[in-house]
Amino acid sequence: MNTVVLGLQWGDEGKGKAIDYLAGRFDVVTRFQGGHNAGHTVYYQGRKVVLHVLPSGIFYPDCLAVIASGVVVQPLQLVEEIRNARELGLTLRNLALSENAPLILPFHQQLDVVFEDSRYQRIGTTRRGIGPAYEDVVGRRALFVGDLLRETVFRGKIAVLAEYYNRLFAAYGHPAMELEDDVRRYLEAGEFLRPHVTDTTRLLQESWRAKKKILFEGAQGSLLDIHLGTYPFVTSSNTTIAGVFSGTGLSPKAVDRVLGISKAYATRVGEGPFPTELKDDFGARLRTLGNEFGATTGRPRRVGWLDLVALRHAVQVNGVDDIFLTKLDVLDDLPEIRVAIAYEVDGERSERRDTFPCHAEALERVTPVYQALPGWQKKLGAIERARDLPKAVRAYLDFIEEFAGARIRYLGVGGERRQTIEIAD
Ligand code: IMP
């Protein structure tokens, strides 16, 4: 079954673990949006590996690993990631990179930093140039991986774009960027990547027609979607199901199942509203228990209770069939576990709603209404079968399923691949 794996929160749901657990069952694994702002943590031969752009399929030599045309690519970073993967003994002969993937150029990273440090637009981005690179796509002036393979074309296009950006930097009081070194390094990276560059839309279409099993590997989370997330505190791509189609060139008919990933609690990095955030000592304890520090930037993540209003929104916009609930073991010791089931808007006596308002201004006005559920106060890490789960866990899962409107099929109860419990019908 061709499966889309999507984050249902603000990213960092444990998609890396879920995808790593499932990837061996697929012939093709493809990334379709985002860039090296993502950080998918997986364990390979006992070593912790953080992937940023490389699809998790690289760990399986028979699996085709695709970076499709919706992904923004910083070539120097990708080369480094490939080199690191080769050091682990992986050949990466199975890697395909879209010739139509937009490039993240030095100006993009610079502009991301300029904006983040200005008073105009502080989003708490990963400062990797993701937003400005996507802006150039929408602005119809982007450069693509294919351009890197033609030196004269690349030099010509980047020179035109440099004029545009240097005017912008001047307006912000920043010096013009010197590009010659970067241009040379980008062209070298292009040569390094050349054997992998191809028409991935065609490749994916052919794979689909040949009935290969395809796994679509989402990055970030639904609440960071440029259109359906907590705007403007979002990333600049469609992190929801829509991104699969524009980012690969496959049609919705190629998707059989949508698997949404959610933690048993919530986290967020960067700025933006987070109704169930715990800013107290308990939140700090949960952060330590869950080791909630960014895989890409190392930033401490903001931590809170699971927000079922937000989760249901994510389930509905993505058409989620099944949920992979991760990090359940982090809650093992708690006598009581809370979940948000509604929002009060503008204080106590106001309207109560149970739908997610998306835009940040509206979300900032809500206070969550909680339901308290009994904890299980047992260690789950060694449990292998769903039928051995404590009753309180089952009750907790039933409550989430009922509210969110999707089945929980997998539970993560520890960092290891084997610490995953499958729940059959
Ligand atoms: P950008 O994607 O770097 O532009 O950052 C925009 C927002 O998305 C910021 O709040 C980031 O912290 C967040 N973000 C981007 N990538 C990830 C991710 O992989 N996990 C969690 N948050 C992310």
Side-chain angles (χ1 to χ4, degrees), residues 303-315:
V303 177
W305 293 115
L306 180 62
D307 183 341
L308 291 182
V309 180
L311 186 69
R312 182 166 59 192
H313 165 75
V315 164

Side-chain angles (χ1 to χ4, degrees), residues 92-114:
L92 266 83
R93 274 193 287 271
N94 55 340
L95 176 69
L97 168 64
S98 172
E99 61 197 2
N100 294 329
L103 292 175
I104 299 177
L105 295 164
F107 339 103
H108 298 139
Q109 269 154 298
Q110 174 84 356
L111 195 65
D112 205 353
V113 173
V114 168

